[in-house]
Amino acid sequence: MAAMCLSSCSQVPAQLVWHRALWPHKAYVLTELRASKLPGHRYRIWMTSPSSQLLPLKPECVRELELELEGAPLETNPQPLPILSNPQDKKGPGPDGLVRDSRLLSYTGTVTGTLNRAAGLYELDGQLGLCLAYQQFHGLRRVVRPGVRLELQDVHLLQSVGGGMRRPMLAPCLRGAVLLQGFSRLAPETQPSRRAPGASLYEQLVWEHQLGLPLYLWATKALEELACKLCPHVLRHHQFLQHSSPGNPSLGLQILAPTLEVLVPPGCPGRDPRSEILEEPHHCPLQKYARLQTPCSFPTLAALKEEGKCRAWASFDPKTLLPLPEASHLPSCQLNQRLAWSWLCLLPSAFHPAPVLLGVLVPSSRKGCLRLQDQSGSLPCLLLAKPSQPLTDPGLIGCLVRAERFQLVVERNVRSSFPSWKELSMTGFMQKKQARVYVQIFLADALILSVPRPVLHSATSSRPPQTEPSLPEGPHIGQSRLFLLSHKEALMKRNFCVPPGASSEVPKPTLSFLVLGSWLGGTQRKEGTGWGPPEPREGEDSDQKVLLIFLRSSVRWFEFLHPGQLYRLVVPGPPTPMLFKEGGSSCVSQRPPELAGCASCLTVQDEWTLELASSQDIPEVLAISRALPESSLADLLSGNFTDSLVSFSAEILSHLWIKPGSSGATRRCVKLTVALETADCEFPPHLDIYIEDPHLPPPRGLLPGARVYFTQLEKKVSRSHNVYCCFRPSTCVQVLSFPPDTTISAPLPHIYLAELLQGDKAPFRATASCHVVSVFSLQLLWVCAHCISICPQGRCTRQSPACPTQTSISQASIRLLVEDGTAEAVVTCRNHQVAAALGLCPSEWTSLLELVRGLGRVALQFTGPGAQPESSAKTDEPLTLFLWTLCTSFSVLRPIVLSFELEKKPSKIIRIEPPRLQRFQCGEFPFLTRVNPRIRLSCLSIQEPEHPSALGALVSSC
């Protein structure tokens, strides 16, 4: 008998009540038992018969007999029972490299709190956690509450399980026992049903998904966070925590599924209750565990937005945004202008634990943008289906979006009055701070879940969110018509004509946008769940243009409408004749002049809806091109203004806010510098785009590194013959891709200077190995940081009115002639680049500037073999002689590696001058040759060559 493990069980229904009489550590007598073997197990168990009886044990009436079993003897287990060890002693593979064994013990304590009744989580004696989920405790759930005293036998003790739980946990498996030692004196909780809401879902996590205790504790905490985010104003608790079935999956489990699939190993065997009770050595889900590092969290949108703001302002450092070598030479207006706008992009990896973005997608009728919403609030979002694929399906409204990969963008706007770079560390000069927070998501990286309708209104607003309007229940009636969208205008406030009979009040500008498209086919009526055949079009052209006006609540469709897409305009209710034609009941005579000539002009009503149609809806769509219009490079950079509206795609290089009064600006605006995307140009030209009121603030997503498609910008030419563009009411912006997560700057191409004479084929920025031939001019000066007046001895010379500040800054410039054997170029170096051009170390450069401070300004013009100083300097002054000697020495006239950009942008419409004939005299012989025009460059940096040429080495040794 010592080698046999025998247990007893009953399969007689009348004997099942014995479990209420049996008590651990008490002795009983069971009569007329028989030994049986369960299929799949090597142990025998005692089985009762219908005539078996349960009697209390009387030792004087019991006689011990030798047991004889039929059949072959049972195999003994050659392995000894494992010795329970300290959890810290067992190490092995796991999430944090540590796998531990739980301890089996007995414990008696009092329930002091209910952590999660549906999940079976309680608090014992104020210091221990109790998890009853691994036992079927349906009856105990109605009894266990604070004040109940429990005796736990063969319960597992798990310490440091992680997953958001810090206290030790007690968890009985199916072999353990939970005994009720005393009832609670507290009043029972009012619970209408026997089972707590969501109890079946928690049981499913344990029994079907085989979650260990650390992962189960994290899952219960995550479900609590999700319930606080969504219930009860977005979802009902029973909708969110319902039991999953093949045809009706639980929404809560769908949200956790992507994380659980990664953490739960595939092919994990299911729980076998008989083995868990009978097997020796004991095996159960609680025997071994590993500390769980919290895999992710589901913060509220309000908390995520606030965290983004806090991190953005915590990382805002003017000295970081403006490095010292550059900032020390900037006047006050340029200094504050450079600080006016900045941005911060936060990835989920920047948080610990990584947040999972979750919210219901709703459109805003007040702003025209899309928002993710939960009970805490809303967060604006910019969505793309994929790179270069905009969001076009309005059916996504009201769906739940779950994203692990996203970009949390914080745009910082600062109004400051820093006198100079010396005060950048003083926060008192920052007068106003604003932040615009939004998220950027690719739907290809997100999980889209349908939310059971109807969606209830948000707890933070008295008005319901703008969910997708749905037709009433029952037989749907309505009519629709297909249209192909060709152009969409900007979302802005516009004035519209007041129709006859309207209110006499002065109309106010209304947020609206216009759409130009073409009707495809005739009107279709609702037939069951689909649409009937198009009605014949009498007297209509095959390409009938339509102008749709969206205002008031219909502004919610702005983010879903994009050129080149096919849509269906749906009007619910009884069919109305001539609804989509000129003179219909919804038509208004408010056609903008720039879009005149449309056969129909409709104002989209609030109850009308939009659907994304497909090419199968109408055959003639197949022959229509949906490509976005692009202006050619020749049209963009030419002086021809027959068509001043241009469209193109480009990558944003920089984003700069310009204040009134700075750089000659009369009003505030945003300047975008973009690189055009053209297939016929290896090096894309650069272009400036200006955004002014009433188009401010600019649309979301116009960040450096983003690819954007601009439609119908107005092309202009400056007085210096430079092409630039401006926003107009007809302009529309479509973001094609977000900035890359990792910004790795590509090295500048290394070229010969002659390649810059090839026009459009030349790069805008590059590097060249060249030699400094001569110095054309040098200027060193100290100016007032406020009014840029000359400051001798550090004092501003402006008299009327007197300058409010006496802070001076140094500025410098030098013009060099360089050549590399293929061409010549005039290079302009400014401020800290002048020190590198002169070959001075930082201490020497600082000493030179201090010598110039007394004079205020020193300028030299090198027009011949000698220096011709201007009136601000005297030829016999030691400083002038030193600069003349330095600029003509081999310390300056040396080989260098020059990084530069073109002084004139490639958007110049002036053609490159052809080579000119020039006469040279070499001894007694004259030569006539063609000489290319000198190229004008702006210096980016000057480096010394790693391997000087033979000429450079010879010059250095002289």
Side-chain angles (χ1 to χ4, degrees), residues 113-125:
T114 301
L115 303 180
N116 190 326
R117 181 170 178 265
L121 299 178
Y122 301 92
E123 181 188 68
L124 284 178
D125 297 331

Side-chain angles (χ1 to χ4, degrees), residues 60-309:
E60 64 276 8
C61 301
V62 176
R63 184 170 58 124
E64 185 175 352
L65 299 176
E66 189 70 21
L67 179 64
E68 295 181 2
L69 298 176
E70 298 178 358
L74 297 174
E75 298 180 0
T76 60
N77 186 8
Q79 299 179 355
L81 294 177
I83 301 175
L84 297 177
S85 59
N86 191 312
Q88 304 293 338
D89 298 337
K90 187 75 173 180
K91 294 186 178 182
D96 59 352
L98 184 64
V99 174
R100 303 165 178 173
D101 288 331
S102 61
R103 288 185 175 185
L104 276 176
L105 49 82
S106 296
Y107 184 85
T108 301
T110 302
V111 177
T112 54
T114 301
L115 303 180
N116 190 326
R117 181 170 178 265
L121 299 178
Y122 301 92
E123 181 188 68
L124 284 178
D125 297 331
Q127 58 184 357
L128 294 175
L130 173 62
C131 177
L132 300 177
Y134 290 84
Q135 277 199 344
Q136 295 181 349
F137 66 110
H138 301 158
L140 279 176
R141 185 181 286 112
R142 294 177 295 171
V143 179
V144 177
R145 61 178 184 271
V148 169
R149 187 168 182 81
L150 299 177
E151 180 184 349
L152 307 174
Q153 295 184 354
D154 293 334
V155 65
H156 292 266
L157 171 65
L158 295 84
Q159 301 182 24
S160 301
V161 294
M165 182 64 69
R166 298 183 178 180
R167 67 185 73 192
M169 293 296 300
L170 295 175
C173 62
L174 293 179
R175 176 176 286 192
V178 181
L179 306 179
L180 185 62
Q181 295 286 0
F183 294 102
S184 174
R185 297 182 178 181
L186 302 178
E189 300 176 359
T190 57
Q191 189 68 35
S193 61
R194 294 182 57 187
R195 302 176 64 84
S200 59
L201 176 61
Y202 292 109
E203 292 178 359
Q204 192 176 4
L205 293 176
V206 172
W207 293 92
E208 297 182 18
H209 294 271
Q210 307 299 319
L211 298 188
L213 183 60
L215 190 54
Y216 176 75
L217 294 175
W218 172 81
T220 57
K221 183 180 179 182
L223 288 175
E224 288 182 4
E225 293 180 357
L226 294 172
C228 293
K229 282 173 59 69
L230 303 176
C231 301
H233 297 286
V234 178
L235 285 172
R236 297 295 189 187
H237 279 89
H238 66 86
Q239 292 175 326
F240 178 70
L241 297 175
Q242 65 181 357
H243 182 81
S244 295
S245 58
N248 189 21
S250 168
L251 188 60
L253 196 56
Q254 290 183 67
I255 297 174
L256 293 183
T259 305
L260 296 180
E261 290 175 358
V262 177
L263 297 177
V264 178
C268 184
R271 293 183 67 182
D272 186 352
R274 293 177 177 176
S275 298
E276 194 169 319
I277 297 174
L278 302 176
E279 285 286 345
E280 291 293 346
H282 174 60
H283 291 287
C284 73
L286 301 172
Q287 183 183 10
K288 291 183 179 294
Y289 67 99
R291 178 180 175 84
L292 177 68
Q293 298 293 335
T294 304
C296 62
S297 63
F298 297 89
T300 62
L301 296 179
L304 188 63
K305 183 177 180 178
E306 191 63 28
E307 178 68 16
K309 286 184 179 181

Side-chain angles (χ1 to χ4, degrees), residues 292-426:
L292 177 68
Q293 298 293 335
T294 304
C296 62
S297 63
F298 297 89
T300 62
L301 296 179
L304 188 63
K305 183 177 180 178
E306 191 63 28
E307 178 68 16
K309 286 184 179 181
C310 293
R311 295 199 177 202
W313 293 121
S315 61
F316 179 78
D317 186 4
K319 293 184 177 180
T320 304
L321 296 176
L322 293 177
L324 185 58
E326 181 182 4
S328 60
H329 303 284
L330 292 178
S332 176
C333 60
Q334 296 183 12
L335 189 73
N336 292 288
Q337 179 179 293
R338 297 279 295 274
L339 296 174
W341 183 89
S342 59
W343 68 294
L344 177 68
C345 182
L346 296 173
L347 301 177
S349 57
F351 300 85
H352 183 75
V356 175
L357 194 65
L358 185 71
V360 178
L361 185 64
V362 295
S364 172
S365 297
R366 296 178 59 251
K367 299 293 185 179
C369 65
L370 290 175
R371 296 177 178 271
L372 290 178
Q373 185 171 357
D374 61 8
Q375 292 199 132
S376 67
S378 61
L379 184 62
C381 61
L382 187 61
L383 300 179
L384 290 179
K386 292 179 180 179
S388 301
Q389 292 188 9
L391 188 69
T392 57
D393 188 7
L396 294 174
I397 295 178
C399 290
L400 198 63
V401 178
R402 180 195 188 276
E404 295 184 8
R405 297 181 57 185
F406 60 90
Q407 293 179 344
L408 182 65
V409 178
V410 185
E411 296 185 19
R412 299 173 294 208
N413 289 91
V414 175
R415 188 172 65 188
S416 59
S417 58
F418 290 102
S420 68
W421 62 275
K422 298 178 181 178
E423 292 82 14
L424 287 179
S425 59
M426 302 180 184

Side-chain angles (χ1 to χ4, degrees), residues 764-781:
F764 179 59
R765 292 182 175 181
T767 301
S769 298
C770 53
H771 192 280
V772 179
V773 178
S774 62
V775 177
F776 283 152
S777 64
L778 172 65
Q779 181 175 247
L780 304 175
L781 66 161

Side-chain angles (χ1 to χ4, degrees), residues 1 41 60-61 118 130 146 196 224 272 322 480 535 537 579 591 644 647 650-651 683 707 749 757 760 781-782 847:
M1 287 295 296
H41 296 273
E60 64 276 8
C61 301
L130 173 62
E224 288 182 4
D272 186 352
L322 293 177
S480 68
E535 296 179 355
R537 298 175 295 174
L579 180 65
R591 188 175 306 153
S644 62
S647 302
E651 179 185 351
F683 301 103
R707 293 178 54 249
L757 300 174
D760 297 339
L781 66 161
W782 285 83
S847 299

Side-chain angles (χ1 to χ4, degrees), residues 450-725:
S450 298
V451 177
R453 303 296 175 90
V455 178
L456 301 180
H457 65 83
S458 169
T460 61
S461 175
S462 59
R463 298 182 59 186
Q466 297 294 332
T467 57
E468 178 188 4
S470 57
L471 297 177
E473 296 297 332
H476 299 327
I477 56 176
Q479 53 186 338
S480 68
R481 196 167 183 182
L482 296 173
F483 72 94
L484 180 66
L485 195 150
S486 57
H487 174 66
K488 180 179 71 170
E489 289 205 348
L491 180 66
M492 57 181 295
K493 289 187 176 182
R494 293 179 171 88
N495 288 318
F496 289 98
C497 299
V498 180
S503 175
S504 59
E505 297 181 1
V506 178
K508 296 181 180 179
T510 305
L511 188 67
S512 61
F513 69 97
L514 309 178
V515 161
L516 180 65
S518 300
W519 291 126
L520 299 177
T523 303
Q524 296 176 270
R525 299 180 185 272
K526 197 72 174 181
E527 292 185 357
T529 58
W531 295 99
E535 296 179 355
R537 298 175 295 174
E538 299 179 0
E540 293 184 5
D541 299 333
S542 58
D543 186 15
Q544 186 185 20
K545 292 185 178 180
V546 59
L547 174 66
L548 300 179
I549 302 175
F550 293 80
L551 66 162
R552 295 186 299 272
S553 180
S554 62
V555 171
R556 66 184 183 273
W557 306 111
F558 179 77
E559 292 289 348
F560 296 97
L561 293 171
H562 298 280
Q565 299 296 328
L566 180 64
Y567 298 93
R568 181 185 295 276
L569 183 61
V570 181
V571 181
T576 303
M578 305 294 291
L579 180 65
F580 300 109
K581 299 180 181 179
E582 182 77 19
S585 59
S586 64
C587 296
V588 292
S589 58
Q590 45 194 10
R591 188 175 306 153
E594 65 270 14
L595 292 178
C598 298
S600 299
C601 180
L602 300 180
T603 299
V604 178
Q605 304 301 315
D606 296 346
E607 66 274 8
W608 293 7
T609 59
L610 280 176
E611 297 177 0
L612 181 66
S614 61
S615 301
Q616 289 76 18
D617 290 338
I618 185 168
E620 60 187 87
V621 179
L622 299 176
I624 297 177
S625 175
R626 301 190 183 186
L628 297 175
E630 292 273 353
S631 301
S632 65
L633 187 60
D635 294 337
L636 278 172
L637 303 183
S638 68
N640 186 7
F641 280 90
T642 56
D643 185 9
S644 62
L645 296 180
V646 294
S647 302
F648 54 85
S649 57
E651 179 185 351
I652 298 180
L653 301 178
S654 64
H655 183 129
L656 180 65
W657 279 74
I658 301 177
K659 298 180 180 180
S662 60
S663 303
T666 58
R667 54 181 178 176
R668 65 170 188 155
C669 68
V670 172
K671 175 185 175 183
L672 301 178
T673 301
V674 301
L676 302 178
E677 294 184 351
T678 55
D680 54 348
C681 184
E682 180 181 0
F683 301 103
H686 293 190
L687 199 67
D688 291 336
I689 301 175
Y690 292 90
I691 310 174
E692 299 179 342
D693 286 327
H695 304 285
L696 293 179
R700 294 177 178 86
L702 302 186
L703 305 172
R707 293 178 54 249
V708 182
Y709 174 73
F710 298 94
T711 309
Q712 294 196 3
L713 288 167
E714 183 180 7
K715 181 181 72 173
K716 291 187 175 184
V717 178
S718 65
R719 284 177 290 183
S720 59
H721 304 284
N722 199 18
V723 177
Y724 66 97
C725 295

